Short mmCIF file of all heavy atoms in Angstrom, two decimals:
data_model
loop_
_atom_site.label_atom_id
_atom_site.label_comp_id
_atom_site.label_asym_id
_atom_site.label_seq_id
_atom_site.Cartn_x
_atom_site.Cartn_y
_atom_site.Cartn_z
N SER A 218 -8.15 3.37 -7.54
CA SER A 218 -6.92 3.38 -6.77
C SER A 218 -7.16 3.86 -5.34
O SER A 218 -6.34 3.67 -4.46
CB SER A 218 -5.87 4.25 -7.44
OG SER A 218 -6.45 5.47 -7.79
N ALA A 221 -6.78 1.26 -2.68
CA ALA A 221 -5.45 0.90 -2.20
C ALA A 221 -5.09 1.77 -1.01
O ALA A 221 -4.54 1.29 -0.03
CB ALA A 221 -4.44 1.07 -3.31
N ILE A 222 -5.45 3.01 -1.09
CA ILE A 222 -5.15 3.94 -0.01
C ILE A 222 -5.94 3.57 1.23
O ILE A 222 -5.40 3.48 2.31
CB ILE A 222 -5.49 5.37 -0.46
CG1 ILE A 222 -4.33 5.89 -1.25
CG2 ILE A 222 -5.74 6.26 0.71
CD1 ILE A 222 -3.06 5.96 -0.47
N THR A 225 -4.36 0.74 2.94
CA THR A 225 -3.02 0.81 3.51
C THR A 225 -2.88 1.90 4.55
O THR A 225 -2.01 1.83 5.40
CB THR A 225 -1.97 1.04 2.42
OG1 THR A 225 -2.39 2.16 1.65
CG2 THR A 225 -1.83 -0.16 1.53
N LYS A 390 -5.88 -7.44 -4.37
CA LYS A 390 -5.87 -7.20 -5.82
C LYS A 390 -4.50 -6.78 -6.31
O LYS A 390 -4.09 -7.10 -7.42
CB LYS A 390 -6.89 -6.12 -6.18
CG LYS A 390 -8.31 -6.59 -6.06
CD LYS A 390 -9.26 -5.49 -6.46
CE LYS A 390 -10.66 -6.06 -6.65
NZ LYS A 390 -11.58 -5.03 -7.10
N LEU A 391 -3.79 -6.02 -5.47
CA LEU A 391 -2.43 -5.63 -5.85
C LEU A 391 -1.52 -6.84 -5.88
O LEU A 391 -0.67 -6.97 -6.76
CB LEU A 391 -1.89 -4.59 -4.88
CG LEU A 391 -2.52 -3.19 -4.95
CD1 LEU A 391 -1.85 -2.26 -3.97
CD2 LEU A 391 -2.42 -2.65 -6.36
N GLU A 393 -2.41 -9.84 -6.53
CA GLU A 393 -2.75 -10.60 -7.72
C GLU A 393 -2.11 -9.97 -8.95
O GLU A 393 -1.55 -10.66 -9.81
CB GLU A 393 -4.27 -10.63 -7.88
CG GLU A 393 -4.77 -11.69 -8.78
CD GLU A 393 -6.28 -11.71 -8.76
OE1 GLU A 393 -6.90 -10.83 -9.39
OE2 GLU A 393 -6.83 -12.59 -8.11
N ALA A 394 -2.17 -8.64 -9.02
CA ALA A 394 -1.52 -7.95 -10.13
C ALA A 394 -0.02 -8.28 -10.14
O ALA A 394 0.56 -8.54 -11.19
CB ALA A 394 -1.75 -6.45 -10.04
N ARG A 396 1.38 -10.91 -9.02
CA ARG A 396 1.58 -12.30 -9.43
C ARG A 396 1.58 -12.40 -10.95
O ARG A 396 2.45 -13.06 -11.53
CB ARG A 396 0.46 -13.16 -8.84
CG ARG A 396 0.70 -14.63 -8.86
CD ARG A 396 0.08 -15.30 -7.62
NE ARG A 396 -1.34 -15.12 -7.50
CZ ARG A 396 -2.24 -15.92 -8.07
NH1 ARG A 396 -1.87 -16.95 -8.78
NH2 ARG A 396 -3.53 -15.69 -7.91
N ILE A 397 0.63 -11.73 -11.60
CA ILE A 397 0.57 -11.87 -13.05
C ILE A 397 1.69 -11.08 -13.73
O ILE A 397 2.05 -11.37 -14.87
CB ILE A 397 -0.81 -11.47 -13.59
CG1 ILE A 397 -0.93 -11.95 -15.04
CG2 ILE A 397 -1.05 -9.99 -13.53
CD1 ILE A 397 -2.26 -12.41 -15.40
N LEU A 398 2.27 -10.12 -13.01
CA LEU A 398 3.43 -9.42 -13.58
C LEU A 398 4.70 -10.24 -13.40
O LEU A 398 5.78 -9.80 -13.79
CB LEU A 398 3.60 -8.05 -12.91
CG LEU A 398 2.52 -7.04 -13.24
CD1 LEU A 398 2.69 -5.78 -12.42
CD2 LEU A 398 2.53 -6.71 -14.71
N LEU A 400 6.03 -11.49 -10.43
CA LEU A 400 6.80 -11.37 -9.20
C LEU A 400 6.75 -12.68 -8.42
O LEU A 400 5.68 -13.27 -8.27
CB LEU A 400 6.22 -10.25 -8.31
CG LEU A 400 6.19 -8.85 -8.89
CD1 LEU A 400 5.75 -7.86 -7.81
CD2 LEU A 400 7.54 -8.46 -9.43
N HIS A 408 8.13 -5.58 -2.91
CA HIS A 408 7.55 -4.48 -3.68
C HIS A 408 6.12 -4.14 -3.27
O HIS A 408 5.67 -3.03 -3.50
CB HIS A 408 7.54 -4.83 -5.17
CG HIS A 408 8.91 -4.93 -5.76
ND1 HIS A 408 9.78 -3.87 -5.80
CD2 HIS A 408 9.56 -5.97 -6.32
CE1 HIS A 408 10.91 -4.25 -6.36
NE2 HIS A 408 10.81 -5.52 -6.68
N ILE A 409 5.40 -5.11 -2.71
CA ILE A 409 3.98 -4.86 -2.45
C ILE A 409 3.66 -4.92 -0.96
O ILE A 409 3.11 -3.97 -0.41
CB ILE A 409 3.10 -5.88 -3.22
CG1 ILE A 409 3.44 -5.81 -4.71
CG2 ILE A 409 1.63 -5.59 -2.98
CD1 ILE A 409 2.70 -6.80 -5.55
N PRO A 412 5.95 -2.29 1.47
CA PRO A 412 5.57 -0.88 1.28
C PRO A 412 4.12 -0.64 1.64
O PRO A 412 3.78 0.43 2.15
CB PRO A 412 5.80 -0.64 -0.22
CG PRO A 412 6.64 -1.76 -0.69
CD PRO A 412 6.41 -2.92 0.23
N GLY A 413 3.26 -1.63 1.40
CA GLY A 413 1.85 -1.46 1.73
C GLY A 413 1.63 -1.40 3.23
O GLY A 413 0.73 -0.72 3.70
N ALA A 488 6.05 9.59 0.59
CA ALA A 488 5.85 10.76 -0.27
C ALA A 488 4.75 10.54 -1.28
O ALA A 488 4.22 11.50 -1.85
CB ALA A 488 7.15 11.11 -0.97
N TRP A 489 4.39 9.30 -1.51
CA TRP A 489 3.40 9.00 -2.54
C TRP A 489 1.98 9.27 -2.08
O TRP A 489 1.05 9.25 -2.88
CB TRP A 489 3.52 7.55 -2.98
CG TRP A 489 3.53 6.58 -1.85
CD1 TRP A 489 4.62 6.11 -1.18
CD2 TRP A 489 2.40 5.96 -1.22
NE1 TRP A 489 4.24 5.23 -0.19
CE2 TRP A 489 2.89 5.12 -0.19
CE3 TRP A 489 1.02 6.01 -1.44
CZ2 TRP A 489 2.06 4.36 0.62
CZ3 TRP A 489 0.19 5.25 -0.64
CH2 TRP A 489 0.72 4.44 0.38
N PRO A 491 -1.45 11.01 -1.00
CA PRO A 491 -2.03 12.25 -1.51
C PRO A 491 -1.87 13.42 -0.55
O PRO A 491 -1.60 14.53 -0.97
CB PRO A 491 -3.50 11.92 -1.70
CG PRO A 491 -3.59 10.45 -1.66
CD PRO A 491 -2.39 9.91 -0.95
N ILE A 494 1.51 14.65 -1.20
CA ILE A 494 1.70 15.16 -2.55
C ILE A 494 1.19 16.59 -2.65
O ILE A 494 1.81 17.45 -3.23
CB ILE A 494 0.95 14.26 -3.56
CG1 ILE A 494 1.64 12.89 -3.63
CG2 ILE A 494 0.95 14.91 -4.94
CD1 ILE A 494 0.83 11.86 -4.35
N ARG B 1316 -10.05 -14.69 -16.04
CA ARG B 1316 -9.06 -15.09 -15.02
C ARG B 1316 -8.46 -16.45 -15.35
O ARG B 1316 -7.28 -16.70 -15.10
CB ARG B 1316 -9.71 -15.11 -13.64
CG ARG B 1316 -10.04 -13.72 -13.11
CD ARG B 1316 -10.77 -13.83 -11.77
NE ARG B 1316 -9.93 -14.54 -10.82
CZ ARG B 1316 -9.01 -13.94 -10.06
NH1 ARG B 1316 -8.86 -12.64 -10.14
NH2 ARG B 1316 -8.29 -14.64 -9.23
N ALA B 1319 -5.96 -15.89 -17.90
CA ALA B 1319 -4.78 -15.23 -17.35
C ALA B 1319 -3.93 -16.22 -16.56
O ALA B 1319 -2.79 -15.91 -16.21
CB ALA B 1319 -5.20 -14.07 -16.45
N LEU B 1321 -4.80 -17.13 -13.58
CA LEU B 1321 -4.93 -16.72 -12.18
C LEU B 1321 -5.72 -17.75 -11.38
O LEU B 1321 -5.56 -17.84 -10.17
CB LEU B 1321 -5.61 -15.35 -12.08
CG LEU B 1321 -4.74 -14.15 -12.40
CD1 LEU B 1321 -5.58 -12.89 -12.49
CD2 LEU B 1321 -3.67 -13.99 -11.33
N VAL B 1337 -2.49 -8.67 -18.33
CA VAL B 1337 -3.87 -8.32 -17.99
C VAL B 1337 -3.97 -6.84 -17.67
O VAL B 1337 -3.11 -6.29 -16.98
CB VAL B 1337 -4.35 -9.12 -16.76
CG1 VAL B 1337 -5.82 -8.84 -16.50
CG2 VAL B 1337 -4.12 -10.61 -16.94
N PHE B 1339 -6.81 -4.79 -15.71
CA PHE B 1339 -8.04 -4.99 -14.96
C PHE B 1339 -8.93 -3.75 -15.05
O PHE B 1339 -8.50 -2.70 -15.50
CB PHE B 1339 -7.74 -5.27 -13.49
CG PHE B 1339 -6.93 -6.51 -13.27
CD1 PHE B 1339 -5.56 -6.45 -13.11
CD2 PHE B 1339 -7.54 -7.76 -13.21
CE1 PHE B 1339 -4.81 -7.59 -12.89
CE2 PHE B 1339 -6.80 -8.90 -13.00
CZ PHE B 1339 -5.43 -8.82 -12.85
N GLU B 1341 -10.04 -1.97 -12.54
CA GLU B 1341 -9.37 -0.92 -11.76
C GLU B 1341 -7.89 -1.00 -12.09
O GLU B 1341 -7.39 -2.07 -12.40
CB GLU B 1341 -9.61 -1.01 -10.29
CG GLU B 1341 -10.01 -2.21 -9.48
CD GLU B 1341 -9.99 -3.59 -10.08
OE1 GLU B 1341 -10.86 -3.91 -10.90
OE2 GLU B 1341 -9.11 -4.34 -9.70
N ARG B 1343 -5.06 -1.00 -10.56
CA ARG B 1343 -4.16 -1.85 -9.77
C ARG B 1343 -2.70 -1.45 -9.90
O ARG B 1343 -1.82 -2.28 -10.12
CB ARG B 1343 -4.31 -3.33 -10.15
CG ARG B 1343 -5.71 -3.85 -9.94
CD ARG B 1343 -5.74 -5.34 -9.85
NE ARG B 1343 -7.10 -5.84 -9.83
CZ ARG B 1343 -7.42 -7.12 -9.69
NH1 ARG B 1343 -6.47 -8.00 -9.55
NH2 ARG B 1343 -8.67 -7.49 -9.67
N LEU B 1344 -2.43 -0.16 -9.77
CA LEU B 1344 -1.05 0.30 -9.75
C LEU B 1344 -0.58 0.34 -8.30
O LEU B 1344 -1.38 0.55 -7.39
CB LEU B 1344 -0.95 1.70 -10.36
CG LEU B 1344 -1.48 1.82 -11.78
CD1 LEU B 1344 -1.47 3.27 -12.24
CD2 LEU B 1344 -0.67 0.97 -12.74
N LEU B 1345 0.71 0.15 -8.09
CA LEU B 1345 1.26 0.27 -6.74
C LEU B 1345 1.43 1.75 -6.43
O LEU B 1345 2.25 2.41 -7.07
CB LEU B 1345 2.60 -0.45 -6.63
CG LEU B 1345 2.59 -1.94 -6.96
CD1 LEU B 1345 3.98 -2.53 -6.78
CD2 LEU B 1345 1.57 -2.67 -6.12
N PRO B 1346 0.67 2.27 -5.45
CA PRO B 1346 0.71 3.73 -5.24
C PRO B 1346 2.06 4.24 -4.78
O PRO B 1346 2.34 5.42 -4.90
CB PRO B 1346 -0.37 3.96 -4.18
CG PRO B 1346 -0.66 2.65 -3.59
CD PRO B 1346 -0.29 1.59 -4.59
N TRP B 1347 2.89 3.34 -4.23
CA TRP B 1347 4.19 3.79 -3.69
C TRP B 1347 5.31 3.72 -4.71
O TRP B 1347 6.46 3.92 -4.37
CB TRP B 1347 4.55 3.00 -2.45
CG TRP B 1347 4.29 1.53 -2.60
CD1 TRP B 1347 5.09 0.60 -3.18
CD2 TRP B 1347 3.12 0.84 -2.17
NE1 TRP B 1347 4.49 -0.62 -3.14
CE2 TRP B 1347 3.29 -0.51 -2.52
CE3 TRP B 1347 1.93 1.23 -1.51
CZ2 TRP B 1347 2.31 -1.47 -2.24
CZ3 TRP B 1347 0.99 0.27 -1.25
CH2 TRP B 1347 1.19 -1.06 -1.61
N LYS B 1348 4.99 3.41 -5.94
CA LYS B 1348 6.02 3.44 -6.97
C LYS B 1348 5.62 4.44 -8.05
O LYS B 1348 4.45 4.47 -8.45
CB LYS B 1348 6.19 2.05 -7.59
CG LYS B 1348 6.92 1.07 -6.70
CD LYS B 1348 7.16 -0.23 -7.44
CE LYS B 1348 7.77 -1.28 -6.53
NZ LYS B 1348 9.13 -0.92 -6.10
N LEU B 1356 7.74 -2.96 -13.35
CA LEU B 1356 7.68 -3.97 -12.29
C LEU B 1356 7.65 -5.39 -12.86
O LEU B 1356 6.84 -5.71 -13.72
CB LEU B 1356 6.43 -3.73 -11.44
CG LEU B 1356 6.33 -4.53 -10.15
CD1 LEU B 1356 7.37 -4.04 -9.16
CD2 LEU B 1356 4.94 -4.40 -9.56
N GLY B 1357 8.57 -6.22 -12.36
CA GLY B 1357 8.55 -7.63 -12.75
C GLY B 1357 9.28 -7.93 -14.03
O GLY B 1357 9.39 -9.09 -14.41
N TRP B 1385 3.38 10.15 -9.17
CA TRP B 1385 2.82 9.12 -8.29
C TRP B 1385 1.47 8.69 -8.86
O TRP B 1385 0.68 9.55 -9.27
CB TRP B 1385 2.63 9.65 -6.86
CG TRP B 1385 3.90 10.02 -6.18
CD1 TRP B 1385 4.28 11.28 -5.79
CD2 TRP B 1385 4.97 9.15 -5.80
NE1 TRP B 1385 5.52 11.22 -5.19
CE2 TRP B 1385 5.97 9.93 -5.19
CE3 TRP B 1385 5.18 7.78 -5.92
CZ2 TRP B 1385 7.15 9.39 -4.70
CZ3 TRP B 1385 6.37 7.25 -5.43
CH2 TRP B 1385 7.33 8.04 -4.82
N LEU B 1387 -1.34 7.95 -7.61
CA LEU B 1387 -2.57 8.53 -7.06
C LEU B 1387 -2.84 9.93 -7.59
O LEU B 1387 -3.89 10.50 -7.32
CB LEU B 1387 -2.50 8.56 -5.53
CG LEU B 1387 -2.49 7.16 -4.91
CD1 LEU B 1387 -2.37 7.25 -3.40
CD2 LEU B 1387 -3.75 6.40 -5.28
N THR B 1388 -1.89 10.50 -8.34
CA THR B 1388 -2.15 11.80 -8.94
C THR B 1388 -2.65 11.65 -10.38
O THR B 1388 -2.91 12.66 -11.03
CB THR B 1388 -0.87 12.67 -8.95
OG1 THR B 1388 0.10 12.03 -9.79
CG2 THR B 1388 -0.29 12.81 -7.57
N ARG B 1401 1.98 -1.03 -18.93
CA ARG B 1401 2.55 -2.09 -18.12
C ARG B 1401 2.31 -3.46 -18.76
O ARG B 1401 3.14 -4.36 -18.66
CB ARG B 1401 1.91 -2.05 -16.72
CG ARG B 1401 2.49 -3.05 -15.76
CD ARG B 1401 1.98 -2.81 -14.37
NE ARG B 1401 0.56 -3.12 -14.24
CZ ARG B 1401 -0.09 -3.10 -13.09
NH1 ARG B 1401 0.53 -2.76 -11.99
NH2 ARG B 1401 -1.37 -3.39 -13.03
N ARG B 1405 5.55 -6.00 -21.66
CA ARG B 1405 5.89 -7.41 -21.53
C ARG B 1405 5.80 -8.14 -22.86
O ARG B 1405 5.96 -9.35 -22.93
CB ARG B 1405 4.95 -8.08 -20.54
CG ARG B 1405 5.45 -7.94 -19.12
CD ARG B 1405 4.34 -7.70 -18.14
NE ARG B 1405 4.51 -6.37 -17.58
CZ ARG B 1405 5.30 -6.13 -16.53
NH1 ARG B 1405 5.89 -7.12 -15.92
NH2 ARG B 1405 5.48 -4.91 -16.12
#
Side-chain angles (χ1 to χ4, degrees):
Chain A
S218 47
I222 277 299
T225 51
K390 288 181 167 183
L391 289 182
E393 198 175 76
R396 195 146 60 88
I397 194 144
L398 291 174
L400 300 187
H408 294 298
I409 304 177
W489 50 269
I494 291 167
Chain B
R1316 289 176 59 87
L1321 283 171
V1337 185
F1339 298 97
E1341 23 11 287
R1343 300 200 188 184
L1344 303 174
L1345 301 182
W1347 43 83
K1348 285 186 186 293
L1356 191 69
W1385 296 115
L1387 293 178
T1388 64
R1401 184 171 69 174
R1405 273 142 245 275

